[in-house]
Amino acid sequence: MAITGVGAYEFQNSAKSRSNKASYADFGKELSAAAEGAECAKKNTAENRLLSTEEILQMIGERKSEILEKVKKGETEPVIQIGGQAYTEKQWKRMLESFDDSEEEIKNMIREALEKYKKAQKEE
């Protein structure tokens, strides 16, 4: 892995000449400096530029318009927050059906195990 701002050869030489504590501290400083340099480089790219207030408000307005159109067309479903999750009515029904199926399967397994146990008791 290449870290910008850290010359591998120079770092290795300085690490060998110092005690372990000093080299670990220097490594942390060098790594922090490299990370800051990389962050500055990222911020300067056109893709990662900060948006102005007007641009943010325009994006919010566009999203509100999209949601309003979906509501008018009846393409949205109400979402209900349950604990840390939010479910639409369809998702909730599917989840409950899955739970009910699993619960029924467990009940059947318990019944079978109980029948085997009773048969084993009668044979003894």
Side-chain angles (χ1 to χ4, degrees), residues 100-120:
D100 290 342
D101 292 343
S102 298
E103 189 176 36
E104 189 63 36
E105 188 177 321
I106 291 171
K107 285 181 182 179
N108 289 335
M109 290 171 60
I110 292 172
R111 282 188 200 115
E112 290 173 9
L114 189 58
E115 288 173 7
K116 287 180 184 178
Y117 176 76
K118 287 181 181 179
K119 284 181 184 178

Side-chain angles (χ1 to χ4, degrees), residues 49-67:
R49 69 180 177 80
L50 295 175
L51 299 174
S52 68
T53 305
E54 293 82 19
E55 290 172 321
I56 293 171
L57 290 175
Q58 181 182 2
M59 290 173 64
I60 292 171
E62 290 171 0
R63 182 67 179 140
K64 286 168 105 177
S65 298
E66 288 175 22
I67 293 170

Side-chain angles (χ1 to χ4, degrees), residues 22 42 78 91 96 107:
K42 282 183 183 178
Q91 292 171 330
L96 285 181
K107 285 181 182 179

